[in-house]
Amino acid sequence: MIMLELCFDINTYHILKILQAENVIDSFHRIIYLYDDLSIGSLNVKNLEERITSLQKLKVNYDFHRMIKNYKDILSQLKNHQQIRIWTSSYAHEKIGFYIICYILCQLKLYDKQIYLCQSAKLHNNKYATMFLTAPDDFVTLMKKAEIIDPSQYIKFAEKLIQENAPLRLKINNQIVSVQINYFDNMILSYREQFPNISNQDLCSHILFDYHKQNFALMRDDMILNRIKYLKNNH
């Protein structure tokens, strides 16, 4: 039976394609990734216009035509495949992507699907995003450890995030938390006070490093840079 391989970042997608070329993954499997980073912006995935408007307000680097086309492709692939293997980690953009895919599966009433979950946490205690796994060894191990899941067990948290509908969702203390756009303001202003001549790019690097060090998590640099520029002009 043809399986859909679904992941949540372009790097993991390319690794899976390489593994397919090397016959680690069957050649007839369809590999796809969710282009949209659901850790930012409105989570009203039923209304992409609202989501696009929220992302435009955040001034992030996005290809909205690509996003819409990708959603159409994913919806089609979810409907057309009986077996789906999902690759994810505890990092915010991947974890939220997983929860929202489970929400979409239930909204579409696709209850007859066989869903396999491959979580990098099974190997590395939440410390690595899927794209940082060792290929092919970690991927092969995760395929062997894959668990069959019921998507309906995960939709409550998806609904919670959708209801909160915050502009930003982060991994904090190993939990996915909805926060406001000013979450990093104190950290940014503190660095500015200590290093008044620091460049925007260097300041952004410090914030990203500190956040990753504290939470083993990734964050979009364009979000931080935009906030740095805003505070520079309005504080």
Side-chain angles (χ1 to χ4, degrees), residues 90-92 126 170-176 211 215-217:
S90 64
Y91 280 44
N126 296 329
L170 299 172
K171 179 186 173 186
I172 302 172
N173 297 324
N174 213 30
Q175 302 292 325
I176 303 299
Y211 172 63
N215 297 285
F216 288 107

Side-chain angles (χ1 to χ4, degrees), residues 1 8 26 41 46 81 109 117 131 138 175-176 185 200 209 232:
M1 185 177 292
F8 302 101
D26 289 338
K46 292 182 180 179
H81 288 82
K109 297 183 172 24
L117 179 60
M131 62 182 169
D138 283 350
Q175 302 292 325
I176 303 299
D185 283 10
N200 290 347
F209 177 80
K232 192 174 183 178

Side-chain angles (χ1 to χ4, degrees), residues 3 5-9 12 15-16 19 24-25 84-90 94 115-149:
M3 179 181 284
E5 307 275 359
L6 175 62
C7 62
F8 302 101
D9 64 72
T12 304
I15 294 171
L16 293 174
L19 294 178
V24 175
I25 292 174
I84 303 167
R85 183 157 54 200
I86 301 176
W87 298 85
T88 189
S89 75
S90 64
E94 294 189 87
I115 314 294
Y116 297 86
L117 179 60
C118 292
Q119 301 185 77
S120 66
K122 292 283 185 181
L123 301 179
H124 295 297
N125 298 322
N126 296 329
K127 291 187 178 181
Y128 294 112
T130 307
M131 62 182 169
F132 296 142
L133 296 177
T134 301
D137 294 350
D138 283 350
F139 285 85
V140 172
T141 301
L142 281 181
M143 282 190 274
K144 293 176 180 177
K145 289 177 175 284
E147 55 183 316
I148 298 177
I149 64 163

Side-chain angles (χ1 to χ4, degrees), residues 56-207:
Q56 288 172 331
K57 288 180 180 178
L58 293 175
K59 299 180 180 179
V60 288
N61 183 21
Y62 245 71
D63 183 336
F64 297 114
H65 294 292
R66 183 178 181 182
M67 184 184 89
I68 293 169
K69 183 176 182 297
N70 178 250
Y71 269 118
K72 289 179 179 178
D73 193 14
I74 284 178
L75 291 175
S76 174
Q77 297 303 327
L78 290 176
K79 292 174 182 177
N80 292 334
H81 288 82
Q82 284 301 112
Q83 292 186 330
I84 303 167
R85 183 157 54 200
I86 301 176
W87 298 85
T88 189
S89 75
S90 64
Y91 280 44
H93 69 291
E94 294 189 87
K95 197 76 170 181
I96 298 164
F98 163 68
Y99 283 121
I100 296 301
I101 287 295
C102 288
Y103 175 81
I104 290 172
L105 285 166
C106 292
Q107 287 290 303
L108 295 176
K109 297 183 172 24
L110 301 177
Y111 302 121
D112 60 334
K113 308 297 181 180
Q114 194 165 32
I115 314 294
Y116 297 86
L117 179 60
C118 292
Q119 301 185 77
S120 66
K122 292 283 185 181
L123 301 179
H124 295 297
N125 298 322
N126 296 329
K127 291 187 178 181
Y128 294 112
T130 307
M131 62 182 169
F132 296 142
L133 296 177
T134 301
D137 294 350
D138 283 350
F139 285 85
V140 172
T141 301
L142 281 181
M143 282 190 274
K144 293 176 180 177
K145 289 177 175 284
E147 55 183 316
I148 298 177
I149 64 163
D150 176 359
S152 65
Q153 294 181 352
Y154 298 89
I155 62 171
K156 281 189 177 180
F157 189 69
E159 290 171 342
K160 175 179 179 292
L161 295 177
I162 291 169
Q163 184 176 16
E164 291 169 346
N165 209 25
L168 188 58
R169 287 160 288 277
L170 299 172
K171 179 186 173 186
I172 302 172
N173 297 324
N174 213 30
Q175 302 292 325
I176 303 299
V177 181
S178 296
V179 300
Q180 294 304 309
I181 197 66
N182 62 357
Y183 179 81
F184 290 100
D185 283 10
N186 288 339
M187 194 184 301
I188 293 169
L189 293 172
S190 176
Y191 265 110
R192 277 279 183 216
E193 187 175 346
Q194 294 178 64
F195 309 102
N197 297 320
I198 192 170
S199 69
N200 290 347
Q201 190 62 56
D202 286 345
L203 176 52
C204 179
S205 297
H206 280 293
I207 301 298

